[in-house]
Amino acid sequence: MQTIRDIRHNNSNGIVTPSGFVANGWSNILPHEMKVLFQALCLVVSKYETKKEMEEGLNEFRALEGTFTTPVPEMFKSEEDYEGYVEVLNKHKAFLARSNFEYPNSREEALQLFMKWGLLIDNGNVWDVPVHPFPDVTALFELTEAEQIALAHLKLEALVHPMFSRLIMTLHEKDENKFSYSKNELKEMLNTNDEMLAEVLIKLTPYLEEAIENVLEIPNDQPMEFTVVWERVYEDFLGEQFSNNVQ
């Protein structure tokens, strides 16, 4: 297993937030205060050397003040805000209860749940957080069919997006918008397989002047000609700061 402290000792690039937290569904099923707590844990695990220092570090997070306390109307700007928060909170409580977990009433109870789920490792005098492998929501919670489909799509998107990013940036470096590549050439460029390339090509389609006809049936060694509409890429993918670079 690889952990944040392993990476911290071997890499000085700063705080590590495990990609599996998003890819494996946690950012979608956890309530806001538990997501904030996890992000805070990633920081203190990276920064401090003992559990006591880590606990003191958590106490310094203003975003964690008042978390896991029973909400009352006085804590909110309006009755509407209060009722909206309670409604969302009750949905999270019901989700956990479906899998025989109780919603935490304190930070300590939340940390105990994190340890039970494998999001937090207690090594005695120090905490750690896994990076790889990272726990998967689908293995720990009772999910409806719709939730399973949504999380499967989320995981696929998390895997495809970095590859799509690499393809877009590589094509953009060519300073043109018309291209001709075979699937074999694209697989070599992206260091990927047939299945993942198919997903990347599907993701690329909305950014093409015309869709590649029967793209999934084209032989691997046959060149595919396509034209990228960079304006769409800049708007949806690269961000507004690139708008002045439209070719």
Side-chain angles (χ1 to χ4, degrees):
M1 173 183 287
Q2 188 179 52
T3 70
I4 281 183
R5 291 182 66 77
D6 292 334
I7 293 176
R8 186 199 66 163
H9 289 313
N10 295 312
N11 189 331
S12 59
N13 290 334
I15 303 167
V16 174
T17 300
S19 60
F21 187 73
V22 173
N24 293 355
W26 293 97
S27 64
N28 283 70
I29 65 103
L30 289 183
H32 176 70
E33 55 191 353
M34 294 189 82
K35 287 189 282 189
V36 171
L37 177 58
F38 182 77
Q39 295 293 335
L41 278 170
C42 290
L43 174 60
V44 298
V45 164
S46 300
K47 187 175 180 180
Y48 299 112
E49 296 300 328
T50 68
K51 187 187 295 183
K52 181 179 179 181
E53 291 175 336
M54 293 174 184
E55 290 173 337
E56 291 172 350
L58 291 179
N59 291 334
E60 296 175 2
F61 278 86
R62 293 187 62 185
L64 293 176
E65 292 179 5
T67 52
F68 307 108
T69 57
T70 302
V72 293
E74 290 74 21
M75 298 167 59
F76 298 84
K77 294 181 179 179
S78 67
E79 184 71 20
E80 184 179 0
D81 287 347
Y82 166 71
E83 292 176 353
Y85 180 85
V86 170
E87 182 180 358
V88 172
L89 180 61
N90 286 336
K91 288 181 180 178
H92 283 294
K93 287 182 177 181
F95 176 82
L96 292 180
R98 194 199 307 163
S99 301
N100 298 316
F101 296 115
E102 290 187 14
Y103 194 89
N105 294 311
S106 66
R107 185 198 301 171
E108 290 70 27
E109 289 184 8
L111 293 175
Q112 288 297 318
L113 278 179
F114 282 172
M115 284 187 271
K116 185 177 293 187
W117 295 333
L119 301 181
L120 180 63
I121 303 167
D122 189 344
N123 287 328
N125 68 334
V126 68
W127 281 325
D128 207 344
V129 173
V131 172
H132 182 77
F134 197 82
D136 197 316
V137 163
T138 58
L140 291 163
F141 296 92
E142 293 291 332
L143 303 173
T144 65
E145 183 177 357
E147 288 169 343
Q148 291 176 18
I149 293 173
L151 289 177
H153 176 77
L154 180 74
K155 178 176 288 190
L156 178 61
E157 182 64 18
L159 292 171
V160 170
H161 182 74
M163 227 163 267
F164 179 71
S165 301
R166 196 185 316 162
L167 175 62
I168 285 294
M169 298 308 293
T170 302
L171 295 179
H172 191 261
E173 289 172 358
K174 306 293 183 183
D175 288 327
E176 56 188 66
N177 64 344
K178 296 183 183 295
F179 303 95
S180 178
Y181 288 103
S182 69
K183 290 181 180 177
N184 283 338
E185 290 172 325
L186 290 175
K187 282 189 292 183
E188 183 176 356
M189 178 191 300
L190 301 175
N191 190 27
T192 190
N193 56 30
D194 290 321
E195 292 77 11
M196 195 61 66
L197 177 64
E199 297 293 340
V200 171
L201 290 174
I202 291 170
K203 190 173 180 67
L204 179 66
T205 297
Y207 303 99
L208 300 182
E209 187 173 85
E210 293 183 2
I212 302 172
E213 190 172 349
N214 299 319
V215 63
L216 299 182
E217 282 73 45
I218 294 175
N220 281 340
D221 58 353
Q222 179 178 319
M224 299 179 293
E225 297 185 355
F226 55 92
T227 301
V228 175
V229 182
W230 287 113
E231 291 90 339
R232 298 177 193 166
V233 176
Y234 297 139
E235 290 172 2
D236 291 354
F237 182 70
L238 296 180
E240 294 181 1
Q241 68 268 35
F242 289 87
S243 59
N244 294 328
N245 297 333
V246 177
Q247 300 173 7

